[in-house]
Amino acid sequence: MQAAVRVFAERGYHDATVRDIVSAADVAVGTFYFYFPDKETLFVHLYEETADFLIRTIRQAVVNRATLPQQLAMGLQAYVNIAVYEPAVVQLLLVGGVGAVLSLIEKRAVFRENLIAMWQAPLEQAMQKGVIAPQNLRRTAEALAGAFDEVVLNLLGHPNPEAEAGTAVQEMTQFALRAVVYKG
Amino acid sequence: MQAAVRVFAERGYHDATVRDIVSAADVAVGTFYFYFPDKETLFVHLYEETADFLIRTIRQAVVNRATLPQQLAMGLQAYVNIAVYEPAVVQLLLVGGVGAVLSLIEKRAVFRENLIAMWQAPLEQAMQKGVIAPQNLRRTAEALAGAFDEVVLNLLGHPNPEAEAGTAVQEMTQFALRAVVYKG
Amino acid sequence: MQAAVRVFAERGYHDATVRDIVSAADVAVGTFYFYFPDKETLFVHLYEETADFLIRTIRQAVVNRATLPQQLAMGLQAYVNIAVYEPAVVQLLLVGGVGAVLSLIEKRAVFRENLIAMWQAPLEQAMQKGVIAPQNLRRTAEALAGAFDEVVLNLLGHPNPEAEAGTAVQEMTQFALRAVVYKG
Amino acid sequence: MQAAVRVFAERGYHDATVRDIVSAADVAVGTFYFYFPDKETLFVHLYEETADFLIRTIRQAVVNRATLPQQLAMGLQAYVNIAVYEPAVVQLLLVGGVGAVLSLIEKRAVFRENLIAMWQAPLEQAMQKGVIAPQNLRRTAEALAGAFDEVVLNLLGHPNPEAEAGTAVQEMTQFALRAVVYKG
DNA sequence: TATGAATGAGAATTCATTCAT
DNA sequence: TATGAATGAATTCTCATTCAT
């Protein structure tokens, strides 16, 4: 399965043949079909698993932080870490996949919904506390989710993402705090 | 070519067969290969054309506006208009395509770069005028580009995008102005 | 299509690969799928065509004969001719095929029904004329159809079918006339 | 082995996978290959066993009867009983199988030969006694074997074979007696 | 310019068979 | 004896591409 994620991320759904996957995993074709019903099912499954993993990991970093700045900083740090150390995850979720498999459209919608909800949660808390300006939090969460994804993708395009990671996290945090008008 | 955009957007690169395209255009397969060297070349060409069209259209709406709020509002209005009336454009650029054709990764990078530069331009002007806070404008432009795309994509997911379009433009504009700390 | 009949008759449905068929017909695999939707459809189609051909040919030999002995003799002669000169036809209809393709069960039933009806027709005429004994003609036709098939199949098993053909036709005719108690 | 006969009869040789067979028998795949060298060998073996069983059973019903009418009636009754209560036997021998496995052609020939010989035996006795007309008994036996098979097959096609069985046996007996010109 | 029949490399998938446990 | 995970040859079918007309 790890082999499959790697191959799918590298080659894209269609150019990743079952033969590529099994030879990356060093097993025979038949073995693939012993464990998975078909290529598409595996791909969709992998997409969902990966999406869950990403969101779970970020949420884990967000909860148990007391203030919004901390929540954002830690969540973004977690996101950037995944992007830098497991680029295949980001590749699969943000770039490849959708468009190749029709049944993925729906899964993508679920993923985006969960991602947005994940970022919206700390904003709701902050608004309860009255530390951010009144606003349509759903829309703000959409915008922040998109903003973070784009910055992360740009980060990965740089020659040395690790070096830039710290600055990127800080600047994204500041961007978000300004956008919600945070009054510490 | 319009037929091709439609078919590619509907079915995705791989599921859109040359036969689908030519029958949508009501010509024969041979005719296709008389005008285009192959399927991939056409697709990449279409991607570039579409990307140029999107950026040109938004920029056109942005220039000649005096203030940042106006520039943002008009640009976003143009973007939303395209999304609502030509969803295939957004489908091609933001969802499908990349991941299907390897040679598109590079084109996608160019598109994002141009899109970011396009949003960055009015920010630079505003900073010259001293009406926004000091900040890494490149990063801000990345974030805004991503934010706008995500909101537009969400808009298209709604049952009646047209009805929501106005509110979405306003809220995105406000979001951007807060994020850059605009002091009118 | 002739190539296909030959290959199917020789090898049976499953052992006749599409590659066998196209190389027998000296075309490419793609050409096969340009003309036929799939292997099974072709096979079923061929089975029906062949069944129709056999029955039509025998019926043609039967009609326009005045008396039952003549009708039987000519019909059987036609049947034996096909068997001897186009053994693939008999092979396809009586031996191979059914059991290999599920959807053929129904077609086989139709074929048997038509074959039985074909032999029943001259019997009905003879009964009208009162030249054969009262009996359940449907059952007699079933029995005769089966009897003729078996004798033809045995004929093909012999080293030199052509030599035996004449005797076989005569004996089958006599057998049938005795079985229906024909009083010339 | 009973499971195998059932599965082969239901699905046909090729569509009956080894997995189908072992799961019907509630054992593991490995166990199959402990008892049988391979699928084809089992199938051929089953075909032979089944053929022997059918012929033995009918012959048993025929011997020890004094007169031809009794011999035919009892033999046909036995045949029909098998067909009605063990349709898989008839399915395997008369419909499926041959055409699927090349090495079965020979076995089929043996089966037909034995079946014909079986029906021929009482005819020889009758001719010895001078109660039937002079004729080529071999040919007559072929014809009767084919006739009986066809009627039995038609019987199985009916909605309620049991109800019709008695009549069918009687009519087949009469048919045969007329065909051999029996003078009781 | 336009056509569409023909091509064949390549992909997904199946399934009889093996063998270490 | 019994198991079932692992194998890979073989098969069907697709589809981008060509080329004679």
Side-chain angles (χ1 to χ4, degrees):
Chain A
M1 300 229 322
Q2 289 147 355
V5 177
R6 245 186 1 257
V7 175
F8 277 135
E10 258 175 41
R11 300 236 220 291
Y13 176 73
H14 266 104
D15 287 350
T17 70
V18 172
R19 245 167 183 89
D20 289 339
I21 295 169
V22 297
S23 69
D26 218 46
V27 292
V29 217
T31 309
F32 178 93
Y33 287 95
F34 185 76
Y35 289 103
F36 311 110
D38 55 36
K39 187 184 161 188
E40 180 168 340
T41 302
L42 171 63
F43 187 67
V44 172
H45 181 72
L46 247 34
Y47 184 91
E48 285 185 296
E49 290 265 300
T50 305
D52 280 357
F53 164 75
L54 181 76
I55 289 175
R56 229 178 17 248
T57 305
I58 301 178
R59 183 181 292 125
Q60 201 59 34
V62 167
V63 295
N64 299 330
R65 301 293 151 178
T67 68
L68 184 60
Q70 284 179 322
Q71 289 171 324
L72 289 169
M74 297 308 288
L76 287 166
Q77 185 63 54
Y79 192 2
V80 165
N81 280 342
I82 292 175
V84 171
Y85 298 111
E86 308 245 34
V89 166
V90 168
Q91 180 68 25
L92 204 67
L93 293 175
L94 302 189
V95 183
V98 183
V101 181
L102 233 66
S103 76
L104 218 62
I105 293 180
E106 195 193 344
K107 306 294 181 187
R108 191 197 123 96
V110 171
F111 165 55
R112 298 313 300 181
E113 210 52 48
N114 288 338
L115 190 70
I116 291 164
M118 204 259 318
W119 290 121
Q120 193 170 343
L123 301 183
E124 299 283 0
Q125 283 179 32
M127 182 157 287
Q128 294 277 337
K129 292 199 237 159
V131 293
I132 63 175
Q135 60 198 283
N136 179 350
L137 285 187
R138 160 72 198 199
R139 190 84 68 192
T140 299
E142 285 175 12
L144 288 182
F148 298 158
D149 290 352
E150 182 69 24
V151 172
V152 165
L153 240 24
N154 269 276
L155 189 65
L156 286 183
H158 285 204
N160 186 5
E162 284 187 64
E164 278 241 57
T167 317
V169 168
Q170 273 179 39
E171 290 183 346
M172 275 193 280
T173 306
Q174 293 310 315
F175 175 90
L177 291 175
R178 298 196 307 264
V180 298
V181 192
Y182 178 75
K183 329 140 210 200
Chain B
M1 299 235 316
Q2 290 146 353
V5 178
R6 239 184 10 254
V7 175
F8 277 134
E10 258 174 41
R11 300 237 221 290
Y13 176 73
H14 266 106
D15 287 352
T17 70
V18 173
R19 252 178 174 78
D20 288 338
I21 296 167
V22 298
S23 74
D26 223 45
V27 293
V29 233
T31 311
F32 177 93
Y33 285 92
F34 184 78
Y35 289 104
F36 311 109
D38 55 37
K39 187 185 164 187
E40 183 168 338
T41 303
L42 169 64
F43 187 68
V44 171
H45 181 71
L46 247 33
Y47 184 90
E48 287 183 294
E49 290 265 299
T50 305
D52 281 356
F53 163 74
L54 180 76
I55 288 173
R56 232 180 14 250
T57 306
I58 301 178
R59 183 182 291 124
Q60 200 59 36
V62 168
V63 296
N64 299 330
R65 300 295 153 177
T67 68
L68 184 61
Q70 284 179 323
Q71 288 171 324
L72 288 169
M74 297 309 288
L76 286 166
Q77 185 63 55
Y79 190 4
V80 165
N81 279 343
I82 292 175
V84 170
Y85 297 112
E86 307 245 35
V89 166
V90 167
Q91 179 68 25
L92 205 67
L93 294 174
L94 302 190
V95 183
V98 184
V101 181
L102 234 63
S103 74
L104 219 61
I105 291 180
E106 194 193 344
K107 306 293 180 186
R108 189 197 126 97
V110 172
F111 164 55
R112 299 313 299 181
E113 212 51 48
N114 289 338
L115 189 69
I116 291 163
M118 204 261 314
W119 289 120
Q120 195 171 340
L123 300 183
E124 298 283 1
Q125 283 180 32
M127 182 157 288
Q128 294 278 336
K129 291 198 235 158
V131 293
I132 62 175
Q135 59 197 282
N136 179 348
L137 284 187
R138 161 70 198 201
R139 188 84 68 193
T140 299
E142 286 175 11
L144 287 182
F148 297 158
D149 289 353
E150 182 69 24
V151 172
V152 164
L153 241 22
N154 269 276
L155 189 64
L156 287 184
H158 285 203
N160 186 6
E162 284 188 64
E164 277 243 59
T167 316
V169 169
Q170 273 180 38
E171 291 183 346
M172 275 192 281
T173 306
Q174 292 310 315
F175 174 89
L177 292 175
R178 296 194 309 263
V180 298
V181 193
Y182 178 75
K183 330 145 211 198
Chain C
M1 300 230 321
Q2 289 148 354
V5 177
R6 244 186 3 257
V7 175
F8 277 135
E10 258 174 42
R11 300 237 220 291
Y13 176 73
H14 266 106
D15 288 349
T17 70
V18 172
R19 245 168 183 88
D20 288 338
I21 296 168
V22 298
S23 70
D26 218 47
V27 293
V29 210
T31 310
F32 178 93
Y33 288 95
F34 184 75
Y35 288 104
F36 312 109
D38 54 37
K39 187 184 161 188
E40 181 168 340
T41 302
L42 171 63
F43 187 68
V44 172
H45 181 71
L46 247 34
Y47 183 90
E48 286 185 296
E49 290 265 299
T50 305
D52 280 357
F53 164 73
L54 180 76
I55 289 174
R56 229 178 17 247
T57 306
I58 301 178
R59 183 182 292 124
Q60 201 58 36
V62 168
V63 296
N64 298 330
R65 301 294 152 176
T67 68
L68 184 60
Q70 285 179 321
Q71 289 171 323
L72 288 170
M74 298 308 289
L76 287 166
Q77 185 64 54
Y79 191 3
V80 164
N81 280 341
I82 293 176
V84 169
Y85 298 111
E86 308 245 33
V89 166
V90 168
Q91 179 67 27
L92 205 68
L93 293 175
L94 302 189
V95 183
V98 183
V101 182
L102 232 64
S103 75
L104 218 61
I105 292 180
E106 194 192 345
K107 305 295 180 187
R108 190 197 125 95
V110 172
F111 165 54
R112 299 312 300 182
E113 211 52 48
N114 288 339
L115 190 70
I116 291 164
M118 204 258 317
W119 289 121
Q120 194 170 342
L123 301 183
E124 298 282 0
Q125 284 179 30
M127 183 157 286
Q128 295 278 336
K129 292 198 238 160
V131 293
I132 62 174
Q135 59 197 281
N136 178 350
L137 285 187
R138 161 70 200 202
R139 189 85 67 192
T140 299
E142 286 175 11
L144 288 181
F148 297 159
D149 290 353
E150 182 69 23
V151 172
V152 165
L153 240 23
N154 270 276
L155 190 65
L156 286 183
H158 285 204
N160 186 6
E162 284 188 65
E164 277 242 59
T167 317
V169 168
Q170 274 179 37
E171 291 182 346
M172 275 193 280
T173 307
Q174 292 311 314
F175 174 89
L177 291 176
R178 296 195 308 264
V180 299
V181 192
Y182 177 74
K183 328 143 212 204
Chain D
M1 298 231 319
Q2 290 147 354
V5 177
R6 242 186 5 257
V7 175
F8 277 134
E10 258 174 41
R11 301 237 221 289
Y13 177 73
H14 266 106
D15 287 351
T17 70
V18 173
R19 249 174 178 79
D20 288 338
I21 295 168
V22 298
S23 74
D26 223 44
V27 293
V29 234
T31 310
F32 178 93
Y33 285 92
F34 184 77
Y35 289 104
F36 312 109
D38 55 38
K39 186 185 165 188
E40 183 168 338
T41 303
L42 170 64
F43 187 68
V44 172
H45 181 71
L46 247 33
Y47 184 90
E48 287 184 295
E49 290 265 300
T50 305
D52 280 356
F53 164 73
L54 180 76
I55 289 175
R56 229 179 17 247
T57 305
I58 302 179
R59 182 183 291 125
Q60 201 58 37
V62 168
V63 296
N64 300 329
R65 301 292 152 180
T67 67
L68 184 60
Q70 283 179 322
Q71 289 171 324
L72 289 170
M74 297 309 288
L76 287 167
Q77 186 63 54
Y79 191 3
V80 165
N81 280 342
I82 292 176
V84 170
Y85 298 111
E86 308 245 35
V89 166
V90 168
Q91 179 68 26
L92 205 68
L93 294 174
L94 302 189
V95 184
V98 184
V101 181
L102 234 64
S103 75
L104 220 60
I105 292 181
E106 193 194 345
K107 306 294 179 186
R108 190 197 125 96
V110 172
F111 164 54
R112 300 311 299 179
E113 210 53 47
N114 288 338
L115 190 69
I116 290 163
M118 204 260 316
W119 289 121
Q120 194 170 341
L123 301 184
E124 299 284 1
Q125 284 179 30
M127 184 156 288
Q128 295 278 338
K129 291 198 237 161
V131 292
I132 62 176
Q135 60 197 284
N136 179 348
L137 285 188
R138 160 71 199 200
R139 189 84 68 195
T140 300
E142 285 175 12
L144 288 181
F148 297 158
D149 289 354
E150 182 70 23
V151 173
V152 166
L153 241 23
N154 269 275
L155 190 64
L156 287 184
H158 285 202
N160 187 6
E162 284 187 65
E164 277 242 57
T167 317
V169 168
Q170 273 180 38
E171 291 182 346
M172 275 193 281
T173 306
Q174 292 309 315
F175 175 90
L177 291 175
R178 297 194 308 264
V180 297
V181 193
Y182 177 74
K183 329 141 208 196

